[in-house]
Amino acid sequence: MLVEYGEQHLDLGLRFKVHALMQWLHDQHLDGIRELTPGVRSLQIHYNPQVISAAQLVEQLTRGEERLRSHLNELKVPSRIVHLLILG
Protein backbone atom coordinates (compact mmCIF):
# COMPACT_ATOMS: atom_id res chain seq x y z
CA MET A 1 0.00 0.00 0.00
CA LEU A 2 1.33 3.45 -0.86
CA VAL A 3 0.47 6.51 1.23
CA GLU A 4 1.25 9.81 -0.51
CA TYR A 5 1.10 13.37 0.78
CA GLY A 6 0.95 16.61 -1.20
CA GLU A 7 2.11 17.63 -4.62
CA GLN A 8 5.09 16.09 -6.40
CA HIS A 9 7.84 18.41 -5.21
CA LEU A 10 10.36 18.50 -2.37
CA ASP A 11 8.67 19.57 0.86
CA LEU A 12 10.50 18.88 4.12
CA GLY A 13 7.26 19.33 6.06
CA LEU A 14 5.77 16.39 4.19
CA ARG A 15 8.96 14.39 4.78
CA PHE A 16 8.54 14.92 8.52
CA LYS A 17 4.90 13.85 8.26
CA VAL A 18 5.93 10.63 6.49
CA HIS A 19 8.55 10.01 9.16
CA ALA A 20 6.03 10.56 11.96
CA LEU A 21 3.51 8.17 10.39
CA MET A 22 6.22 5.55 9.88
CA GLN A 23 7.31 5.84 13.53
CA TRP A 24 3.71 5.65 14.72
CA LEU A 25 3.08 2.49 12.68
CA HIS A 26 6.30 0.95 13.92
CA ASP A 27 5.34 1.68 17.53
CA GLN A 28 1.92 0.03 17.07
CA HIS A 29 3.50 -3.41 16.41
CA LEU A 30 0.67 -4.32 14.03
CA ASP A 31 0.62 -7.96 12.98
CA GLY A 32 0.99 -8.38 9.24
CA ILE A 33 3.15 -5.34 8.51
CA ARG A 34 6.35 -6.63 6.96
CA GLU A 35 8.26 -3.49 5.99
CA LEU A 36 7.91 0.29 5.94
CA THR A 37 9.77 2.17 3.20
CA PRO A 38 9.70 5.98 3.46
CA GLY A 39 10.09 8.39 0.57
CA VAL A 40 10.20 12.18 0.46
CA ARG A 41 6.39 12.50 0.50
CA SER A 42 5.27 8.87 0.57
CA LEU A 43 5.32 5.74 2.70
CA GLN A 44 5.22 2.30 1.13
CA ILE A 45 3.76 -0.33 3.44
CA HIS A 46 4.48 -3.98 2.68
CA TYR A 47 1.92 -6.09 4.49
CA ASN A 48 0.53 -9.61 4.55
CA PRO A 49 -3.14 -9.45 3.48
CA GLN A 50 -3.73 -12.85 5.08
CA VAL A 51 -2.96 -11.30 8.47
CA ILE A 52 -4.28 -7.74 8.08
CA SER A 53 -6.73 -6.70 5.38
CA ALA A 54 -6.39 -3.54 3.30
CA ALA A 55 -9.50 -2.16 5.04
CA GLN A 56 -8.00 -2.82 8.49
CA LEU A 57 -4.74 -1.20 7.44
CA VAL A 58 -6.54 1.89 6.10
CA GLU A 59 -8.45 2.06 9.41
CA GLN A 60 -5.17 2.01 11.33
CA LEU A 61 -3.64 4.62 9.01
CA THR A 62 -6.65 6.88 9.52
CA ARG A 63 -6.30 6.45 13.29
CA GLY A 64 -2.59 7.27 13.08
CA GLU A 65 -3.19 10.30 10.87
CA GLU A 66 -5.74 11.68 13.34
CA ARG A 67 -3.36 11.13 16.25
CA LEU A 68 -0.41 12.71 14.46
CA ARG A 69 -2.36 15.71 13.20
CA SER A 70 -2.53 17.15 16.71
CA HIS A 71 1.12 16.37 17.55
CA LEU A 72 2.96 17.18 14.31
CA ASN A 73 4.18 20.58 15.56
CA GLU A 74 5.79 18.82 18.55
CA LEU A 75 7.67 16.29 16.40
CA LYS A 76 11.38 15.99 17.12
CA VAL A 77 13.57 14.03 14.77
CA PRO A 78 16.87 12.68 16.14
CA SER A 79 19.82 14.31 14.40
CA ARG A 80 23.53 14.80 14.79
CA ILE A 81 26.28 17.14 13.69
CA VAL A 82 29.10 15.64 11.68
CA HIS A 83 32.41 17.51 11.31
CA LEU A 84 34.47 16.64 8.24
CA LEU A 85 38.13 17.39 7.96
CA ILE A 86 38.98 18.66 4.50
CA LEU A 87 42.64 18.37 3.58
CA GLY A 88 43.94 20.48 0.78
Side-chain angles (χ1 to χ4, degrees), residues 43-61:
L43 178 63
Q44 186 173 19
I45 304 165
H46 298 264
Y47 69 100
N48 182 344
Q50 294 177 337
V51 178
I52 185 171
S53 70
Q56 290 170 318
L57 184 52
V58 168
E59 183 179 311
Q60 291 298 319
L61 289 168

Side-chain angles (χ1 to χ4, degrees), residues 7-63:
E7 299 297 321
Q8 292 187 4
H9 61 84
L10 179 61
D11 183 333
L12 290 178
L14 295 177
R15 178 64 189 101
F16 285 123
K17 194 170 185 176
V18 167
H19 180 79
L21 181 61
M22 182 182 72
Q23 284 301 120
W24 184 86
L25 281 171
H26 182 266
D27 294 345
Q28 299 309 300
H29 304 286
L30 297 174
D31 289 334
I33 293 185
R34 293 182 177 169
E35 185 178 8
L36 301 170
T37 307
V40 173
R41 58 176 200 86
S42 64
L43 178 63
Q44 186 173 19
I45 304 165
H46 298 264
Y47 69 100
N48 182 344
Q50 294 177 337
V51 178
I52 185 171
S53 70
Q56 290 170 318
L57 184 52
V58 168
E59 183 179 311
Q60 291 298 319
L61 289 168
T62 301
R63 191 171 137 239

